[in-house]
Amino acid sequence: MDEALLRSLTPGVLTVLVRRGADFAAAEDAVQEALVEAVRAWPADPPRDPRGWLITVAWRKFLDATRADAARRRREDLVDEEPAAGPASAVDDTLQLYFLCAHPSLTPSSAVALTLRAVGGLTTRQIARAYLVPEATMAQRISRAKRTVSGVRLDRHGDVATVLRVLYLVFNEGYSGDVDLVAEAIRLTRQLAAQIDHPEVAGLLALMLLHHARRAARTAPDGSLVPLAEQDRGLWDTTAITEGVAILQAALARDRLGEFQAQAAVAALHADAPTAEETDWTQIVEWYDELVRLTDSPVVRLNRAVAVGEADGPRVGLAALAELDDSLPRHTAVAAYLHERAGDLAKAARLYAEAARKAPDLAERDHLTRRAARLNTRPDR
């Protein structure tokens, strides 16, 4: 097998597939599958036209994957259209299913994806958005997870950390407004907190309550998004805030800091501020520093750049933002906000318009478009 020949042909084959209409990620997957097939078949039956052979097989692999993806979407749509189930047993084993899907034979990321799809009720597209990967990539990950667990006994539970990650992502998807799963995520996290004495379980429950407390103020009557700084704080649920803060304080007192406790601490500082101007941004930056230490997440670093911009000025925030990959989701929107704070309104307007084109949903796109339009009509621009 001439591996050098395969490597030399790969870019050209990939280009052909893209020109035929395949998106780049799907074309890459198809070409990789064709290369695997070539390694298997060519030693016994080498083709007269290697490049043509690879293009034909890769295109067939792409079409097969596209058809399979379309069929999967149709099945998901049919599930969504099914009528509600009738009366069920009073025994609720949903949380048990979460633990079973987090099987030790799966990697944590695969276990989370499988549980979100099989138990959480999210579509593959929603899960892919949460993981910041293409939908086709997530579909393959879920399919591999299903194949992995299909031949094993589901008699060993996954760990608490994986289940917490699933509950967190289910809550976030529901909180976005695309699918209303917030109440279910909070209910299951309450159940878990009652069963397991763990500070991170308490931290996640506190985080959910503190975010959910602001939900009524997140949208205007016309459905448009209302940024945190502009929300009517009189609409916030003070009962949920009080409960969330109490749960968080008890968890932090155990001195076993984790990601969800740190996130909840940020949310609590926002909830504690009577007005946006009175927000303790310096302390929020310190909590984001802890989150960076705990997770090294690029999303956390992006949020930290916003906090730094509020605490130390927009130019310092832009310097922190410059250290991040500009392909990160919402990077452009953050840059637009910081440039607006810095007084560079023309650049901020351009960036808001660019961010609107990249927005993951209609509500966010409309919000960013309005911000761009508002700056474009200002006389001091």
Side-chain angles (χ1 to χ4, degrees), residues 319-333:
L321 185 66
E323 298 175 0
L324 304 177
D325 186 346
D326 60 9
S327 66
L328 190 66
R330 295 190 171 89
H331 184 285
T332 307

mmCIF file with all atom_site columns, all heavy atoms in Angstrom, residues 319-333:
data_model
loop_
_atom_site.group_PDB
_atom_site.id
_atom_site.type_symbol
_atom_site.label_atom_id
_atom_site.label_alt_id
_atom_site.label_comp_id
_atom_site.label_asym_id
_atom_site.label_entity_id
_atom_site.label_seq_id
_atom_site.pdbx_PDB_ins_code
_atom_site.Cartn_x
_atom_site.Cartn_y
_atom_site.Cartn_z
_atom_site.occupancy
_atom_site.B_iso_or_equiv
_atom_site.pdbx_formal_charge
_atom_site.auth_seq_id
_atom_site.auth_comp_id
_atom_site.auth_asym_id
_atom_site.auth_atom_id
_atom_site.pdbx_PDB_model_num
ATOM 1   N N   . ALA A 1 319 ? -8.101  43.230 25.459 1.00 0.00 ? 319 ALA A N   1
ATOM 2   C CA  . ALA A 1 319 ? -6.791  42.568 25.501 1.00 0.00 ? 319 ALA A CA  1
ATOM 3   C C   . ALA A 1 319 ? -6.951  41.108 25.929 1.00 0.00 ? 319 ALA A C   1
ATOM 4   O O   . ALA A 1 319 ? -6.297  40.212 25.382 1.00 0.00 ? 319 ALA A O   1
ATOM 5   C CB  . ALA A 1 319 ? -5.862  43.300 26.460 1.00 0.00 ? 319 ALA A CB  1
ATOM 6   N N   . ALA A 1 320 ? -7.835  40.858 26.900 1.00 0.00 ? 320 ALA A N   1
ATOM 7   C CA  . ALA A 1 320 ? -8.098  39.476 27.314 1.00 0.00 ? 320 ALA A CA  1
ATOM 8   C C   . ALA A 1 320 ? -8.780  38.702 26.200 1.00 0.00 ? 320 ALA A C   1
ATOM 9   O O   . ALA A 1 320 ? -8.483  37.521 25.971 1.00 0.00 ? 320 ALA A O   1
ATOM 10  C CB  . ALA A 1 320 ? -8.966  39.473 28.574 1.00 0.00 ? 320 ALA A CB  1
ATOM 11  N N   . LEU A 1 321 ? -9.666  39.366 25.480 1.00 0.00 ? 321 LEU A N   1
ATOM 12  C CA  . LEU A 1 321 ? -10.373 38.715 24.382 1.00 0.00 ? 321 LEU A CA  1
ATOM 13  C C   . LEU A 1 321 ? -9.417  38.358 23.248 1.00 0.00 ? 321 LEU A C   1
ATOM 14  O O   . LEU A 1 321 ? -9.589  37.333 22.573 1.00 0.00 ? 321 LEU A O   1
ATOM 15  C CB  . LEU A 1 321 ? -11.483 39.639 23.866 1.00 0.00 ? 321 LEU A CB  1
ATOM 16  C CG  . LEU A 1 321 ? -12.413 39.067 22.790 1.00 0.00 ? 321 LEU A CG  1
ATOM 17  C CD1 . LEU A 1 321 ? -13.239 37.918 23.363 1.00 0.00 ? 321 LEU A CD1 1
ATOM 18  C CD2 . LEU A 1 321 ? -13.327 40.171 22.252 1.00 0.00 ? 321 LEU A CD2 1
ATOM 19  N N   . ALA A 1 322 ? -8.409  39.189 23.018 1.00 0.00 ? 322 ALA A N   1
ATOM 20  C CA  . ALA A 1 322 ? -7.464  38.958 21.925 1.00 0.00 ? 322 ALA A CA  1
ATOM 21  C C   . ALA A 1 322 ? -6.667  37.668 22.110 1.00 0.00 ? 322 ALA A C   1
ATOM 22  O O   . ALA A 1 322 ? -6.115  37.138 21.142 1.00 0.00 ? 322 ALA A O   1
ATOM 23  C CB  . ALA A 1 322 ? -6.510  40.142 21.814 1.00 0.00 ? 322 ALA A CB  1
ATOM 24  N N   . GLU A 1 323 ? -6.629  37.141 23.327 1.00 0.00 ? 323 GLU A N   1
ATOM 25  C CA  . GLU A 1 323 ? -5.895  35.910 23.590 1.00 0.00 ? 323 GLU A CA  1
ATOM 26  C C   . GLU A 1 323 ? -6.694  34.662 23.195 1.00 0.00 ? 323 GLU A C   1
ATOM 27  O O   . GLU A 1 323 ? -6.168  33.552 23.225 1.00 0.00 ? 323 GLU A O   1
ATOM 28  C CB  . GLU A 1 323 ? -5.543  35.825 25.078 1.00 0.00 ? 323 GLU A CB  1
ATOM 29  C CG  . GLU A 1 323 ? -4.640  36.964 25.556 1.00 0.00 ? 323 GLU A CG  1
ATOM 30  C CD  . GLU A 1 323 ? -4.411  36.909 27.057 1.00 0.00 ? 323 GLU A CD  1
ATOM 31  O OE1 . GLU A 1 323 ? -4.958  35.985 27.704 1.00 0.00 ? 323 GLU A OE1 1
ATOM 32  O OE2 . GLU A 1 323 ? -3.699  37.789 27.573 1.00 0.00 ? 323 GLU A OE2 1
ATOM 33  N N   . LEU A 1 324 ? -7.972  34.858 22.813 1.00 0.00 ? 324 LEU A N   1
ATOM 34  C CA  . LEU A 1 324 ? -8.845  33.731 22.519 1.00 0.00 ? 324 LEU A CA  1
ATOM 35  C C   . LEU A 1 324 ? -9.021  33.550 21.018 1.00 0.00 ? 324 LEU A C   1
ATOM 36  O O   . LEU A 1 324 ? -8.865  34.488 20.231 1.00 0.00 ? 324 LEU A O   1
ATOM 37  C CB  . LEU A 1 324 ? -10.215 33.938 23.177 1.00 0.00 ? 324 LEU A CB  1
ATOM 38  C CG  . LEU A 1 324 ? -10.198 34.170 24.692 1.00 0.00 ? 324 LEU A CG  1
ATOM 39  C CD1 . LEU A 1 324 ? -11.604 34.430 25.202 1.00 0.00 ? 324 LEU A CD1 1
ATOM 40  C CD2 . LEU A 1 324 ? -9.575  32.977 25.402 1.00 0.00 ? 324 LEU A CD2 1
ATOM 41  N N   . ASP A 1 325 ? -9.382  32.342 20.628 1.00 0.00 ? 325 ASP A N   1
ATOM 42  C CA  . ASP A 1 325 ? -9.652  32.023 19.223 1.00 0.00 ? 325 ASP A CA  1
ATOM 43  C C   . ASP A 1 325 ? -10.897 32.777 18.779 1.00 0.00 ? 325 ASP A C   1
ATOM 44  O O   . ASP A 1 325 ? -11.966 32.647 19.378 1.00 0.00 ? 325 ASP A O   1
ATOM 45  C CB  . ASP A 1 325 ? -9.864  30.509 19.092 1.00 0.00 ? 325 ASP A CB  1
ATOM 46  C CG  . ASP A 1 325 ? -10.007 30.053 17.643 1.00 0.00 ? 325 ASP A CG  1
ATOM 47  O OD1 . ASP A 1 325 ? -10.213 30.920 16.762 1.00 0.00 ? 325 ASP A OD1 1
ATOM 48  O OD2 . ASP A 1 325 ? -9.938  28.842 17.394 1.00 0.00 ? 325 ASP A OD2 1
ATOM 49  N N   . ASP A 1 326 ? -10.774 33.568 17.693 1.00 0.00 ? 326 ASP A N   1
ATOM 50  C CA  . ASP A 1 326 ? -11.919 34.380 17.267 1.00 0.00 ? 326 ASP A CA  1
ATOM 51  C C   . ASP A 1 326 ? -13.024 33.559 16.600 1.00 0.00 ? 326 ASP A C   1
ATOM 52  O O   . ASP A 1 326 ? -14.076 34.102 16.247 1.00 0.00 ? 326 ASP A O   1
ATOM 53  C CB  . ASP A 1 326 ? -11.478 35.522 16.339 1.00 0.00 ? 326 ASP A CB  1
ATOM 54  C CG  . ASP A 1 326 ? -10.797 35.024 15.076 1.00 0.00 ? 326 ASP A CG  1
ATOM 55  O OD1 . ASP A 1 326 ? -10.799 33.806 14.819 1.00 0.00 ? 326 ASP A OD1 1
ATOM 56  O OD2 . ASP A 1 326 ? -10.248 35.862 14.338 1.00 0.00 ? 326 ASP A OD2 1
ATOM 57  N N   . SER A 1 327 ? -12.802 32.244 16.420 1.00 0.00 ? 327 SER A N   1
ATOM 58  C CA  . SER A 1 327 ? -13.873 31.388 15.896 1.00 0.00 ? 327 SER A CA  1
ATOM 59  C C   . SER A 1 327 ? -14.783 30.871 17.009 1.00 0.00 ? 327 SER A C   1
ATOM 60  O O   . SER A 1 327 ? -15.785 30.201 16.746 1.00 0.00 ? 327 SER A O   1
ATOM 61  C CB  . SER A 1 327 ? -13.280 30.196 15.142 1.00 0.00 ? 327 SER A CB  1
ATOM 62  O OG  . SER A 1 327 ? -12.578 29.327 16.018 1.00 0.00 ? 327 SER A OG  1
ATOM 63  N N   . LEU A 1 328 ? -14.464 31.196 18.250 1.00 0.00 ? 328 LEU A N   1
ATOM 64  C CA  . LEU A 1 328 ? -15.263 30.761 19.381 1.00 0.00 ? 328 LEU A CA  1
ATOM 65  C C   . LEU A 1 328 ? -16.663 31.361 19.275 1.00 0.00 ? 328 LEU A C   1
ATOM 66  O O   . LEU A 1 328 ? -16.813 32.549 18.995 1.00 0.00 ? 328 LEU A O   1
ATOM 67  C CB  . LEU A 1 328 ? -14.589 31.224 20.673 1.00 0.00 ? 328 LEU A CB  1
ATOM 68  C CG  . LEU A 1 328 ? -15.118 30.690 21.998 1.00 0.00 ? 328 LEU A CG  1
ATOM 69  C CD1 . LEU A 1 328 ? -14.884 29.188 22.100 1.00 0.00 ? 328 LEU A CD1 1
ATOM 70  C CD2 . LEU A 1 328 ? -14.426 31.405 23.151 1.00 0.00 ? 328 LEU A CD2 1
ATOM 71  N N   . PRO A 1 329 ? -17.723 30.561 19.475 1.00 0.00 ? 329 PRO A N   1
ATOM 72  C CA  . PRO A 1 329 ? -19.080 31.115 19.410 1.00 0.00 ? 329 PRO A CA  1
ATOM 73  C C   . PRO A 1 329 ? -19.251 32.309 20.329 1.00 0.00 ? 329 PRO A C   1
ATOM 74  O O   . PRO A 1 329 ? -18.783 32.300 21.463 1.00 0.00 ? 329 PRO A O   1
ATOM 75  C CB  . PRO A 1 329 ? -19.954 29.926 19.855 1.00 0.00 ? 329 PRO A CB  1
ATOM 76  C CG  . PRO A 1 329 ? -19.171 28.719 19.446 1.00 0.00 ? 329 PRO A CG  1
ATOM 77  C CD  . PRO A 1 329 ? -17.724 29.094 19.666 1.00 0.00 ? 329 PRO A CD  1
ATOM 78  N N   . ARG A 1 330 ? -19.888 33.341 19.824 1.00 0.00 ? 330 ARG A N   1
ATOM 79  C CA  . ARG A 1 330 ? -20.185 34.603 20.511 1.00 0.00 ? 330 ARG A CA  1
ATOM 80  C C   . ARG A 1 330 ? -18.942 35.468 20.745 1.00 0.00 ? 330 ARG A C   1
ATOM 81  O O   . ARG A 1 330 ? -19.037 36.515 21.395 1.00 0.00 ? 330 ARG A O   1
ATOM 82  C CB  . ARG A 1 330 ? -20.924 34.355 21.824 1.00 0.00 ? 330 ARG A CB  1
ATOM 83  C CG  . ARG A 1 330 ? -22.314 33.736 21.600 1.00 0.00 ? 330 ARG A CG  1
ATOM 84  C CD  . ARG A 1 330 ? -23.148 33.701 22.878 1.00 0.00 ? 330 ARG A CD  1
ATOM 85  N NE  . ARG A 1 330 ? -24.508 33.294 22.538 1.00 0.00 ? 330 ARG A NE  1
ATOM 86  C CZ  . ARG A 1 330 ? -24.931 32.024 22.503 1.00 0.00 ? 330 ARG A CZ  1
ATOM 87  N NH1 . ARG A 1 330 ? -24.073 31.060 22.789 1.00 0.00 ? 330 ARG A NH1 1
ATOM 88  N NH2 . ARG A 1 330 ? -26.172 31.727 22.188 1.00 0.00 ? 330 ARG A NH2 1
ATOM 89  N N   . HIS A 1 331 ? -17.805 35.070 20.211 1.00 0.00 ? 331 HIS A N   1
ATOM 90  C CA  . HIS A 1 331 ? -16.606 35.900 20.328 1.00 0.00 ? 331 HIS A CA  1
ATOM 91  C C   . HIS A 1 331 ? -16.842 37.262 19.676 1.00 0.00 ? 331 HIS A C   1
ATOM 92  O O   . HIS A 1 331 ? -16.493 38.313 20.234 1.00 0.00 ? 331 HIS A O   1
ATOM 93  C CB  . HIS A 1 331 ? -15.432 35.185 19.655 1.00 0.00 ? 331 HIS A CB  1
ATOM 94  C CG  . HIS A 1 331 ? -14.107 35.887 19.771 1.00 0.00 ? 331 HIS A CG  1
ATOM 95  N ND1 . HIS A 1 331 ? -13.794 37.010 19.021 1.00 0.00 ? 331 HIS A ND1 1
ATOM 96  C CD2 . HIS A 1 331 ? -13.021 35.632 20.547 1.00 0.00 ? 331 HIS A CD2 1
ATOM 97  C CE1 . HIS A 1 331 ? -12.574 37.405 19.326 1.00 0.00 ? 331 HIS A CE1 1
ATOM 98  N NE2 . HIS A 1 331 ? -12.087 36.597 20.245 1.00 0.00 ? 331 HIS A NE2 1
ATOM 99  N N   . THR A 1 332 ? -17.461 37.260 18.502 1.00 0.00 ? 332 THR A N   1
ATOM 100 C CA  . THR A 1 332 ? -17.695 38.508 17.780 1.00 0.00 ? 332 THR A CA  1
ATOM 101 C C   . THR A 1 332 ? -18.664 39.405 18.544 1.00 0.00 ? 332 THR A C   1
ATOM 102 O O   . THR A 1 332 ? -18.485 40.631 18.591 1.00 0.00 ? 332 THR A O   1
ATOM 103 C CB  . THR A 1 332 ? -18.241 38.216 16.374 1.00 0.00 ? 332 THR A CB  1
ATOM 104 O OG1 . THR A 1 332 ? -17.371 37.297 15.701 1.00 0.00 ? 332 THR A OG1 1
ATOM 105 C CG2 . THR A 1 332 ? -18.345 39.485 15.550 1.00 0.00 ? 332 THR A CG2 1
ATOM 106 N N   . ALA A 1 333 ? -19.683 38.819 19.157 1.00 0.00 ? 333 ALA A N   1
ATOM 107 C CA  . ALA A 1 333 ? -20.651 39.607 19.921 1.00 0.00 ? 333 ALA A CA  1
ATOM 108 C C   . ALA A 1 333 ? -19.977 40.260 21.129 1.00 0.00 ? 333 ALA A C   1
ATOM 109 O O   . ALA A 1 333 ? -20.259 41.424 21.453 1.00 0.00 ? 333 ALA A O   1
ATOM 110 C CB  . ALA A 1 333 ? -21.810 38.725 20.366 1.00 0.00 ? 333 ALA A CB  1
#
